[in-house]
Amino acid sequence: MQQDRLLDAEHEFRRSLKLQPNASKVLLDLATLLANQGRYNETKTLLRDAISNDDKNISLRMNLGSLYEKLDLMDSAIYYFKGVTILDSTYRWSYRSLANIYSESEQYGQALQFYSKFLNIDSTSIEGYYRRATTYMALKKSENAIADWTRLVQLQPNEAEHYRNRGLTYFQLSNFDEAIVDFSRALELRPDQPYTHINLGYGLYLIGKPKKALLSIEEGLKIVPNYSLGYYFEALAYLDLRKRKKACQSLKKAIELGLRDDDIDTIIFAKCL
């Protein structure tokens, strides 16, 4: 029954194209139908032939580029997406597609270039700022990433993920006070984030507040009781409170759960030998 409907739809699209060979919407509908059935070679041929008759049609080029991307033929995908940027330098989706391809292949410099062009056109794109921020992180440009996380906070002030991500980036910059503020806000919005509880606790430990650190770490470990790093942070906080026995118990638990020796501070390791 389903196959019959697909055949009927294909027949109808092809009949329409005989009457109007350059009807781009019908071409795209037929291409989508064929691609959804895994008939990729037919889809490529259809789109390439259509482009040869209408080489300035952006929708046809974007669809063929997307098909090549799906087939992991990235050089061909890039060729068609870049062709769109030449035809229309304000068409933002071509820049996003190029940026995503370069990001997937870890060519972060190229990805950054195209995410920035995308955002110059669409300055409110949540996805755009998120992807550019992660690209900055990959390039070890944490200050730039902070700016994009902050833009996301402005666009979506009630989204916990943005505060968490900015907090993690502040952590990388050793700006623990700002990280704590962001982790705390993230937990106000979504208290069910165990790793944010634990990161908040570690931040509190690093600024000399081990009692508060323990409360937060233990809250996280209630949700993820097999997280080795959480027990290690707990051990550090106990050690600051001069509770050696509890510190060593937590360290033992962390090691049992897979914490590696080279992740352990030599001081606490020595105290628990």
Side-chain angles (χ1 to χ4, degrees), residues 58-67 81 84 91 93-94 97:
I58 285 174
S59 294
L60 293 173
R61 285 180 172 274
M62 286 297 297
N63 273 266
L64 185 53
S66 296
L67 178 61
F81 291 143
V84 172
Y91 191 78
W93 304 116
S94 56
S97 296

Side-chain angles (χ1 to χ4, degrees), residues 96-239:
R96 185 191 68 171
S97 296
L98 286 164
N100 289 346
I101 288 174
Y102 284 120
S103 179
E104 289 288 327
S105 61
E106 299 183 0
Q107 298 180 64
Y108 297 118
Q110 291 277 60
L112 180 60
Q113 173 190 341
F114 287 111
Y115 283 133
S116 294
K117 287 184 176 182
F118 172 67
L119 287 167
N120 285 341
I121 300 167
D122 185 353
S123 62
T124 60
S125 170
I126 301 301
E127 180 197 5
Y129 284 110
Y130 177 85
R131 286 182 174 269
R132 191 172 70 173
T134 58
T135 302
Y136 277 131
M137 295 297 290
L139 291 168
K140 303 189 186 305
K141 295 185 175 182
S142 299
E143 294 285 2
N144 298 91
I146 290 288
D148 279 354
W149 296 134
T150 299
R151 179 65 175 140
L152 284 167
V153 165
Q154 293 166 348
L155 291 169
Q156 291 184 315
N158 294 318
E159 178 54 62
E161 182 183 7
H162 304 327
Y163 294 96
R164 184 197 68 200
N165 287 332
R166 189 171 65 177
L168 289 169
T169 309
Y170 276 130
F171 231 75
Q172 290 192 356
L173 292 168
S174 298
N175 190 339
F176 304 124
D177 289 324
E178 293 292 348
I180 287 167
V181 170
D182 275 344
F183 290 149
S184 298
R185 178 58 179 151
L187 290 168
E188 286 174 13
L189 294 166
R190 273 194 54 195
D192 60 339
Q193 301 179 84
Y195 301 106
T196 305
H197 279 290
I198 291 166
N199 285 328
L200 172 60
Y202 186 47
L204 289 165
Y205 158 76
L206 288 171
I207 65 168
K209 297 183 177 181
K211 286 185 180 179
K212 288 185 177 180
L214 279 173
L215 291 174
S216 190
I217 292 167
E218 288 167 1
E219 194 67 31
L221 288 173
K222 287 178 187 176
I223 307 171
V224 283
N226 295 319
Y227 183 48
S228 62
L229 201 57
Y231 290 100
Y232 176 60
F233 294 156
E234 184 180 60
L236 293 174
Y238 276 130
L239 200 62

